[in-house]
């Protein structure tokens, strides 16, 4: 017995004209009622599995605090008064449409999430038993914003110092909100001395370590000096441009990154790390406190300048030592900032990099943690569970945008359906983004999750385990196949250590997110604990968030882990119900004897754990890998941010099965990049109802198949933008 059960029957994908024999991408039910008829959309996948709130790693000291009471606590008042300052998940424009169409639904989901993350109905006695007896644990923290140690703190005597009145506070918050980094639209009007003086005085009132006031301000007006600085910056700009993946380089070309020549005044802000002598209070353990202090002076200057109607642009495209020499600065100084200052035509509402699609603002709710890192909660709110929150934000394809996409495809100057599967992908991109035409998914990034596997000990592959770490070094050095393919298609390679057995040195491009140094052997126990599985999923969600906030418009799955096709086969067996012999493959190219052993290993693991597909996290923990779990997170995270995720091979297929069991609508974001030579992958794709774009017997992993598919996905979106319609081109229809 494999222990594999059907979560629910999935009807076979409905064939579609003009190739009735071929399976088509299976879509989810759509939001908004009317489902377009051609190509036909397949019916609902299995029911969502409720993500059970994990047993809290620490007690929920806030459980007793009634939420309703918190809601009326005075804390959020100022947030209401200044809604623009509150960044929430809503800030990402991926969610904009929710507000119009699904506000109530979203609120309901948020409520559910909050409910789910509230302490489950646990016997307080047993909760206590679970509590780590850690002095740092937030045992006593009340939920009203008051200090946990209030009992020991001196009792307040008399009234607190007065706050600013409403108008004053509004002015302070307004200047922070409306401060912008400016690179365009400077004017040549001179800056009166008294104005510049006020701005410099503001800078000079900044806080500093040990009150060392390490800053100096060099005010540059000379055209010659500015020209020399401009040349230095241009050289660095060119070097940076060369280092970018093609997808990014195109965008960067459009960006202006400095206004050295366009502004009447440039200001160099330095930090003197020796000022204040040897015993500067607070600097002895952290020498970087000196430049930090100067950076605060920059912020003061920036805000005061905004209040004066002066724009400031910070240029950091310099080799610092080169600049020190060129400006004749004392060698012991650090240059903290080079600022271009002048009057401007206007201050944009949003950062220019956001307007250019280079980045997105991260919501405040992503970055505020209550007591311990990872326990995210805004003041006055209960901590939220990252996985549950992510699942709650996943929505089906939008019916309106989907309908518009089909209509547009019909009107484009080509026979209807002539782009076959690509028409379906373009409609999916529209439904996902809620825009028609959909955004072109560029730039794109492949996240290569690396992890090791305890089951390696069972002799399932001839490759030694160290190869995982060695290949990670190869990815980072740019020497792997995925690097070559990524360069070709202009994508970024992001390498994530989610569970490599050995310690990896810090290297640019490597995200150190190790949950544990390799899983345990699934034939003798669970590969990981439930908590670890969830942690690895969260690594994937966070990676999706980071890559999307950094401006990527498509995510690709990649993975590296010697022995991971064994775990993939086990996962696929559970979720498809196929016998291990049908879904266990040769991976890197093993011989018959090793294949027989590998199949037996999968069978033994399934017999031992009897994994229940209705408990996807339990399945992952029993027989999965850290990289599988992280890919599950990437898929869920991508879907929650309405960003397409192109799946690579068999391990991604296994992860997609797990993700679908957690949140069926995750498939709205999934595109099958390719079909690998592994038999398990075919079983997974059939079960998912996804039709692969590339079918070339690849069996490498690393994201290579997904990378090859990326230009197809981008092409179909571009066609929606650029192909003329019969009306616009005056072409006669059939
Ligand atoms: C330390 C630092 C260095 C920066 N260097 C540059 C730079 O070299 N070129 C540039 O165009 N913008 C630079 N910026 C500006 C940022 O791009 C800008 O602050 C960010 O996009 C947010 O936009 P906002 O300041 O308008 O809110 C820098 C900002 C900081 C804080």
């Amino acid at each position: 017995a494999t222990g594999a059960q059907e979560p629910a029957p999935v009807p076979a994908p409905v064939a579609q004209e003009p190739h009735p024999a071929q399976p088509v991408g299976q879509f989810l039910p759509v939001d908004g009622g009317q489902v377009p008829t051609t190509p036909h959309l397949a019916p609902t996948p299995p029911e969502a599995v409720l993500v059970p709130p994990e047993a809290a790693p620490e007690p929920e000291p806030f459980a007793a605090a009634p939420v309703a009471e918190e809601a009326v606590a005075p804390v959020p008042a100022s947030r209401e008064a200044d809604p623009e300052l509150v960044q929430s998940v809503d800030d990402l424009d991926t969610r904009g449409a929710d507000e119009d169409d699904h506000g109530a639904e979203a609120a309901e989901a948020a409520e559910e999430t909050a409910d789910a993350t509230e302490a489950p109905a646990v016997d307080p006695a047993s909760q206590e038993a679970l509590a780590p007896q850690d002095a740092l644990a937030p045992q006593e923290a009340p939920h009203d914003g008051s200090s946990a140690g209030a009992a020991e703190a001196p009792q307040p005597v008399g009234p607190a110092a007065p706050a600013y009145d409403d108008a004053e506070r509004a002015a302070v918050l307004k200047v922070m909100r409306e401060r912008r980094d400016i690179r365009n639209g400077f004017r040549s009007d001179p800056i009166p001395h008294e104005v510049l003086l006020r701005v410099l005085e503001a800078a000079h009132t900044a806080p500093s370590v040990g009150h060392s006031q390490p800053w100096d301000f060099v005010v540059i007006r000379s055209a010659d000096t500015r020209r020399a600085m401009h040349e230095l910056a241009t050289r660095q700009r060119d070097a940076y441009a060369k280092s970018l993946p093609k997808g990014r380089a195109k965008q960067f070309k459009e960006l202006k990154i400095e206004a050295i020549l366009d502004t009447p005044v440039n200001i160099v802000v330095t930090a003197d790390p020796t000022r204040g002598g040897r015993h500067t209070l607070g600097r002895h353990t952290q020498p970087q406190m000196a430049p930090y202090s100067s950076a605060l002076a920059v912020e003061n200057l920036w805000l005061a300048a905004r209040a004066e109607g002066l724009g400031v642009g910070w240029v950091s495209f310099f080799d610092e030592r080169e600049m020190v020499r060129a400006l004749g600065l004392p060698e012991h100084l650090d240059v903290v900032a080079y600022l271009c200052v002048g009057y401007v035509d206007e201050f944009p509402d949003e950062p220019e990099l956001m307007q250019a699609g280079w980045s997105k603002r991260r919501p405040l709710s992503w970055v505020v943690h209550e007591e311990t890192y990872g326990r995210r909660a805004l003041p006055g709110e209960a901590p939220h569970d990252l996985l549950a929150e992510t699942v709650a934000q996943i929505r089906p394809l939008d019916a309106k945008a989907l309908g518009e996409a089909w209509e547009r495809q019909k009107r484009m100057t080509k026979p209807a359906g002539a782009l076959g599967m690509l028409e379906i992908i373009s409609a999916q991109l529209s439904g996902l983004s809620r825009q028609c035409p959909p955004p072109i998914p560029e730039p794109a990034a492949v996240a290569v999750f690396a992890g090791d596997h305890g089951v390696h000990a069972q002799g399932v592959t001839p490759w030694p385990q160290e190869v995982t770490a060695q290949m990670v070094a190869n990815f980072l050095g740019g020497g792997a196949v995925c690097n070559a393919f990524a360069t070709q298609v202009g994508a970024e390679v992001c390498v994530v250590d989610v569970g490599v057995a050995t310690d990896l040195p810090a290297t640019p491009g490597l995200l150190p997110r190790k949950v544990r140094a390799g899983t345990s052997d699934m034939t003798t126990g669970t590969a990981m604990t439930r908590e670890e599985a969830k942690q690895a999923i969260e690594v994937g969600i966070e990676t999706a968030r980071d890559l999307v906030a950094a401006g990527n418009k498509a995510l690709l799955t990649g993975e590296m882990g010697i022995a991971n096709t064994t775990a993939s086969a086990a996962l696929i067996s559970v979720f498809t119900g196929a016998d291990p012999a049908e879904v266990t493959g040769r991976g890197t190219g093993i011989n018959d004897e090793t294949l027989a052993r590998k199949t037996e290993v999968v069978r033994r693991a399934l017999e031992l754990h009897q994994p229940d597909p209705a408990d996807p996290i339990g399945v992952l923990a029993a027989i999965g890998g850290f990289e599988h779990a992280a890919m599950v997170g990437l898929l869920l995270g991508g879907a929650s941010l309405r960003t397409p995720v192109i799946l690579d091979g068999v391990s991604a297929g296994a992860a997609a099965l797990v993700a679908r069991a957690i949140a069926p609508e995750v498939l709205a974001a999934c595109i099958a990049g390719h079909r690998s030579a592994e038999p398990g992958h075919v079983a997974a794709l059939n079960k998912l109802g996804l039709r692969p774009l590339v079918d070339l017997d690849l069996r490498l992993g690393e994201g290579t198949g997904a990378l090859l598919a990326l230009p197809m996905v981008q092409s179909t979106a571009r066609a929606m933008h650029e192909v003329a319609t019969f009306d616009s081109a005056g072409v006669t229809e059939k």
Side-chain angles (χ1 to χ4, degrees), residues 187-199:
R187 304 160 64 97
S188 55
D189 317 38
I191 305 173
H193 292 319
E194 67 275 16
V195 172
L196 193 56
L197 198 57
R198 279 198 294 269
V199 169

Side-chain angles (χ1 to χ4, degrees), residues 33 40 49 65 126 141 195 289 306 376 413 428 444 484 597 651 703 728:
H40 195 87
V49 171
S126 66
V195 172
M289 290 300 150
R306 175 63 190 88
R376 289 180 177 77
T413 45
Q428 180 181 5
R597 185 164 50 241
S651 297
S728 72

Side-chain angles (χ1 to χ4, degrees), residues 179-183 256-258 302 314-317 336 350-354 359 361:
R179 179 211 53 77
R180 282 278 76 78
D181 182 77
I182 307 287
R183 296 176 287 277
K256 187 157 191 259
I257 53 140
E258 48 89 4
W302 215 335
W314 184 328
V315 190
S316 48
F317 277 74
V336 171
E350 289 185 325
E352 288 185 28
L353 292 184
M354 267 176 81
S359 64
R361 191 182 291 287

